[in-house]
Amino acid sequence: MALALRCLRPVPSLLLRSSFAMARGLPRAPRGCPAPLLEGCRQCVQQMLLSRQLATKKAKGKGQSQAKVNISAALVEDIINLEETNEDMQAVIKALKEDFSRNLNVRTSPGALDHITVMTKDGKFPLNQLGQISQKSPQLLIVNMTSFPESTAAAAKAIRESGMNLNPEVDGTVIRVPVPKVTREHRESLAKLAKQFTNKSKEALRKVRSKSITQVKKFKSKVSEDTIWLLEKQIQQMADEAATEMDKLLAAKTKELLG
């Protein structure tokens, strides 16, 4: 055992703990392996551990819920950065939360227009950088475009196409934005918009998942089929969890809007 521990020293710490737990059942190094397994062949140990995970998963039997895949990022860092994939998925969720917060309030405030992006001849700019936004009454917002009068028409168009159910009226360099009354119809309109935002975010989530799986498949000729299968399963699992969180956000927002 002392000799085995000394041989395992070159293996990374996370891999060492997993290998030590099953040390008594370690297989012989496969043919063609440049070094014996206990002398630090990282690829062999990695493949063995992933294969063990797959075997354990299949051993649960038919009719039972499948075990959750949880591959150590350190074991597959040469194939894909799972932490980065997770961060990309969480960024999509964060963007959905921001869309809900900015665009789906029953009561519209001046700050609700800040994020609207206006396309001008000089590029894209937030509305609050081009005009002064104020609230004249509970049912009327004013956007003063005196500083950038040439962008007045573009700003009005951006407000109209923001998806906030607003119909701005241009009066010189002033844009009047009537705020819809809080009717049942308006609430239902916002709830539909929440669904649209969620579907758009799920599409972005699918793109993250597809990109990651494509990255994994590039290594088909270099690692085992079990490794590829497990990684694809892990990525799909992460995407499913993110989609579930989006559904919960949608349900909560819909309940808030419809009462």
Side-chain angles (χ1 to χ4, degrees):
M1 181 60 73
L3 175 60
L5 289 176
R6 285 198 298 273
C7 293
L8 281 172
R9 283 176 185 167
V11 184
S13 58
L14 286 175
L15 195 57
L16 175 59
R17 289 196 293 270
S18 299
S19 302
F20 180 73
M22 54 183 74
R24 294 182 179 179
L26 286 174
R28 294 180 179 276
R31 291 181 180 180
C33 178
L37 186 60
L38 289 179
E39 290 182 6
C41 180
R42 183 176 184 273
Q43 291 80 7
C44 294
V45 176
Q46 176 178 324
Q47 182 173 337
M48 178 200 69
L49 293 178
L50 291 171
S51 297
R52 289 285 181 90
Q53 292 183 52
L54 178 60
T56 301
K57 185 177 178 60
K58 290 181 177 179
K60 286 187 172 294
K62 297 181 180 179
Q64 298 183 17
S65 59
Q66 293 185 337
K68 184 175 180 180
V69 179
N70 189 16
I71 302 173
S72 171
L75 291 177
V76 294
E77 60 185 1
D78 294 335
I79 303 175
I80 188 172
N81 189 330
L82 288 176
E83 292 180 356
E84 185 176 298
T85 297
N86 183 59
E87 289 174 359
D88 290 343
M89 291 184 179
Q90 292 305 311
V92 175
I93 295 175
K94 182 180 179 181
L96 178 61
K97 291 179 179 178
E98 292 176 351
D99 281 338
F100 281 0
S101 176
R102 291 171 175 173
N103 303 321
L104 302 178
N105 293 313
V106 175
R107 302 289 182 182
T108 303
S109 63
L113 304 182
D114 288 350
H115 75 287
I116 293 178
T117 301
V118 181
M119 175 63 76
T120 72
K121 63 180 181 180
D122 296 318
K124 295 180 179 180
F125 297 92
L127 180 60
N128 62 353
Q129 290 185 12
L130 300 174
Q132 183 179 0
I133 306 171
S134 60
Q135 186 162 10
K136 188 172 182 179
S137 71
Q139 276 72 49
L140 182 63
L141 298 178
I142 299 294
V143 183
N144 191 326
M145 298 292 295
T146 303
S147 299
F148 296 92
E150 69 280 4
S151 299
T152 302
K157 180 181 179 182
I159 295 171
R160 188 176 297 108
E161 297 177 353
S162 66
M164 297 175 66
N165 193 33
L166 299 174
N167 294 303
E169 302 167 357
V170 178
D171 181 10
T173 58
V174 174
I175 303 175
R176 301 178 186 277
V177 187
V179 178
K181 293 183 179 179
V182 186
T183 62
R184 183 67 183 179
E185 182 180 359
H186 179 51
R187 289 176 180 272
E188 290 176 352
S189 177
L190 291 177
K192 290 180 181 179
L193 191 57
K195 180 67 174 177
Q196 292 175 15
F197 282 141
T198 303
N199 289 338
K200 183 178 179 181
S201 294
K202 285 186 176 180
E203 179 61 30
L205 180 65
R206 284 191 286 271
K207 289 181 179 179
V208 174
R209 180 202 62 192
S210 297
K211 179 182 177 181
S212 298
I213 289 179
T214 298
Q215 172 65 21
V216 168
K217 287 182 176 179
K218 291 180 180 179
F219 288 81
K220 272 190 173 182
S221 62
K222 300 179 181 179
V223 298
S224 70
E225 292 183 4
D226 286 352
T227 301
I228 298 297
W229 186 89
L230 280 168
L231 282 170
E232 290 180 352
K233 202 71 174 176
Q234 172 83 36
I235 294 167
Q236 182 62 55
Q237 179 178 287
M238 292 163 63
D240 289 343
E241 290 174 353
T244 297
E245 186 171 349
M246 289 181 184
D247 288 335
K248 290 179 180 178
L249 290 172
L250 174 61
K253 176 56 70 171
T254 301
K255 182 177 180 180
E256 173 191 326
L257 293 172
L258 299 180

